[in-house]
Amino acid sequence: MNKLILRAALIGASAFPTIAYAQSVPVEEEAPPAPEAVEEVADGNEIIVTATKREQTLQDVPVAVSVTTAETIERAQIRDLKDLQTLVPSLRVSQLQSSANTNFIIRGFGNGANNPGIEPSVGVFVDGVYRSRTAAQIGDLPDVQRVEVLRGPQSTLFGKNASAGVISMITREPSFNFGGSIEGTYGNYDAMVLKGYVTGPITDTLAASLSAGINKRDGYVTDLGYNGDSNERDRWFVRGQLRFEPTDALKIRLIADYDKIDEVCCAVVNVRRSGATAAIEALGGRVNNAATPFADVTYSNFPSTNKIENWGLSGQVDYQVGPLKLTSITAYRNSASLTNQDSDFTSANLIGQNVGDVELDTFTQELRLNANFLNVVDIMLGGFYFDEKVKFKNSLTYGTQFRPYADLLSGGAIAQLESLILGVPVGTFQRPGQGVFDDFTMDNTAWSVFGNIDVQLGDRFTLTLGANYTKDKKDVSSRTVSTDTFSALDFVAIGGGVIRNTVIAQQVGAALSLSGPANATQIATFAGAQPAIYNAIVTGATSFANANAANPAVNPLLGLRPLQFLPPFLNIPNAVESGKTRDGKWTWTARLAMDVTDSLNAYVSYATGFKASSFNLSRDSRPLASDLPALRTAGLTVPNLTTGSRFAGPENAKVMELGLKANWGIASANLTLFKQTITGFQSNVFTGTGFALANAGKQSTVGVEFDGMVKPTKSLSLNLALVYLDPQYDSFVASALGDLSGTRPAGIPGLSTTIGAQWNKELANGDRLILRSDWHYESPVQVIEGLPGFIQRNALGQVTSYQPAFDAARPFRREVSEISASATYALMNGLEFTVWGRNLTNNRYIIQIFDSVAQSGSVSAYPNQPRTYGASVRFKW
């Protein structure tokens, strides 16, 4: 099936070089063909892929997978995984907060990104090595051969973090034929990219490859606060490989890579003003015009920097003995990021710093055994071990203008509190440098065993059964300290004392027939002269104060609570909370495939998925409400302690699929109908100062995926990919926004489609002219369900009111319509000239919105990237 599509996946094939959509999955790749051999196999339909860890072709295994080839990545100017979503409609990729934080969503399911304690629901693998956290980069891999996106739960073969799907990047193995490429690109915003790849033999049994590149670009957002640019690119990489084949039965592949990022990212704009905005401007601060969020102008008082280093070593050994093949993949990776963000996103110096320091040390080991018996039974058995240590520190401190800002918002009440009530010097609270200093460590080990068997049932049926057991262990400890003494004040207790003393002064004054409250001297004199009456007054005043200390109408100090941003933190582990999770789960797959005719295949499948518990490594981590009584009994509570969650429990996924795929020579088509559900979906919502992590009861999606390709002439190829999704929170009672049960999750378009065309014409002189264009569309969708800052709750934490007026505003709905195109003139000697453009119509939209930090009622947002264009020159040999 899909012979034309399969040909497109071959490097340098003359057939349509676009996404190879198929309901099928990969295998072990042999050495890429030598350049002179490519044309000889261009008509073959046995292209192999590796996402299922076994040697099967796209047409042989009925699983939903999209394959984007190296040539498509090159022609479509796919610079990183964010760009890939314009070619794979089932995939959504967003990059928020920093260059290292990337969120992948497949079929509407996915999480992770900005909290280092949360692993994504979409597993990312590079050459079979799991990346637990990933920066959005594939432009740093000029030797990339293809990118495979497996849709739906893949836990049977990939373990604990593939409950929503898998993205697998495969690079070219070193070749025993000398070859390579070099490419230079220049584009708008002074974008400059230079990358190269060379490969060849060292001996008859040893081949090597080396790739390197640099990617620089000015920022497309002008920051008028510090007079600089944001959203720039400044990154480089180097990657080397060795391939050793001493015998036909043994192959060893070693890979070492290093990459570094040092850039200013990621710009945030204001999209809704509030009274807090006016206070900032009164201090001389500036905020962008909320009515023009796409003017690419913002204000900060210092650049939001990102310094990221990644490096790793991996080794793969394949050993074939008759029908048995043993594979071992061993890897160690280190990732370190140091970021600093002006998190108030204004030119006022409200937030002095928000420094995040994350380091990941990850070791993985996979072993698997494949066996084929008489081409009737194919068996795979394997095991996987994962050991990772996460170190996370974050310092969030007040800037020089935060206290004046708080004084404006409180009408001077903080100064009165200091001098008149507490008797401390004015300026004691919210001084520059005060803040919260997070310090988390998480040790995570996991292991899994898995097996898969394919059995041929006659000539037309294949039964597949697979199972996986995963055990996951996480231990978390924190040493967080808050020096924000203002946020440690108990305004109920302090206010109760003020109420009590006020009532005593008033009643003593009345008893003395004074025109107003009695002063301290008069009260002391009255207490000595009339002790019985005074004691009765004190008793009544105390009772009144106890009854009304938590009443905002009586206790005005409660109005200062919204300014208590950084309260004391209860560290874990403690006598009540262990800071540990222990999870284990069986997952399985069952599938029946049928060759209906020689050109039509069908399958039906059922699979389950599993993702282990995730910890909330942020200052918003809070004990469960059920643990609060025990914490009080043990005397462990800290001032202003509220409840929430330390971690979210496991996700459990399941999917039912019905697939059809057909190939008629000049055309092919694939159709998937599915219902996918995740129970305990790990929802992670930014609250304005931290993250609220909770399990959704159940989220489900019913969907249809279609892709097709037609080649009406030898030179012209047309393709269409379309996805329809109907998602719902079946049950989500305890969300950060209240009960969302029965509502539609935000950010998931009902319809996503990509329509593309490529004209690849051989000219009379043997050169080629290649024209390509793609249109990607996503139907209008609400960006977010709601914002915690617009919710009012009662004393029980139940939502009593919500201000949804902004929901219908145009900037908070997203509709995507992007056109990309390229034109390439390829000479026979390997030299190519390309002009290209992405988002040519300059379609602008909001990626995500959130409550502005320390600015009640304001809303901030991340805008998308504007139009980019440029020219490239490359030489291949």
Side-chain angles (χ1 to χ4, degrees), residues 764-789:
N765 62 358
D767 296 343
R768 304 193 73 86
L769 179 62
I770 306 168
L771 305 178
R772 178 187 177 87
S773 183
D774 297 285
W775 175 58
H776 177 69
Y777 175 77
E778 297 176 12
S779 60
V781 64
Q782 190 70 30
V783 172
I784 197 170
E785 291 92 352
L787 296 172

Side-chain angles (χ1 to χ4, degrees), residues 273-285 287 405 408-409 858:
R273 292 173 58 93
S274 70
T277 312
I280 289 170
E281 293 172 339
L283 294 172
V287 180
Y405 168 71
L408 284 176
L409 294 181
S858 290

Side-chain angles (χ1 to χ4, degrees), residues 607-803:
T608 63
F610 168 71
K611 178 187 172 184
S613 298
S614 290
F615 269 91
N616 189 351
L617 302 188
S618 84
R619 65 191 63 89
D620 213 41
S621 172
R622 297 287 185 268
L624 295 171
S626 58
D627 287 332
L628 192 57
L631 290 169
R632 287 172 175 163
T633 300
L636 295 175
T637 57
V638 295
N640 298 324
L641 179 65
T642 57
T643 60
S645 69
R646 298 290 194 182
F647 63 91
E651 291 181 354
N652 294 290
K654 63 181 180 180
V655 63
M656 294 178 287
E657 288 184 356
L658 173 64
L660 296 172
K661 48 184 183 172
N663 176 40
W664 299 285
I666 64 169
S668 62
N670 304 285
L671 177 68
T672 306
L673 309 177
F674 68 90
K675 180 177 182 180
Q676 186 170 328
T677 63
I678 291 186
T679 303
F681 178 75
Q682 295 171 0
S683 172
N684 191 39
V685 178
F686 183 66
T687 63
T689 57
F691 293 89
L693 178 63
N695 286 103
K698 183 180 180 182
Q699 179 182 339
S700 64
T701 298
V702 175
V704 179
E705 296 167 327
F706 171 83
D707 59 81
M709 187 277 292
V710 61
K711 195 174 177 64
T713 70
K714 180 179 179 181
S715 301
L716 180 63
S717 298
L718 307 174
N719 73 293
L720 167 67
L722 183 147
V723 176
Y724 169 79
L725 300 175
D726 183 16
Q728 177 175 281
Y729 285 125
D730 300 280
S731 174
F732 196 3
V733 176
S735 84
L737 305 169
D739 188 357
L740 294 179
S741 301
T743 64
R744 181 188 179 96
I748 305 173
L751 177 67
S752 300
T753 185
T754 296
I755 301 175
Q758 180 162 300
W759 187 64
N760 188 334
K761 178 66 174 178
E762 183 175 357
L763 306 179
N765 62 358
D767 296 343
R768 304 193 73 86
L769 179 62
I770 306 168
L771 305 178
R772 178 187 177 87
S773 183
D774 297 285
W775 175 58
H776 177 69
Y777 175 77
E778 297 176 12
S779 60
V781 64
Q782 190 70 30
V783 172
I784 197 170
E785 291 92 352
L787 296 172
F790 290 83
I791 288 178
Q792 299 295 323
R793 300 177 185 270
N794 59 23
L796 298 177
Q798 300 167 328
V799 176
T800 56
S801 65
Y802 179 60
Q803 182 184 346

Side-chain angles (χ1 to χ4, degrees), residues 10 90 103 112 138 142 145 150 162 179 189 250 259 281 351-352 410 437-438 455 527 572 575 674 702 779 861:
L10 290 167
S90 291
N103 195 16
I138 62 171
Q145 187 162 339
L150 281 81
Y189 303 109
L250 177 64
D259 66 80
E281 293 172 339
I351 303 298
S410 67
F437 302 87
D438 291 331
V455 180
I572 53 175
F674 68 90
V702 175
S779 60

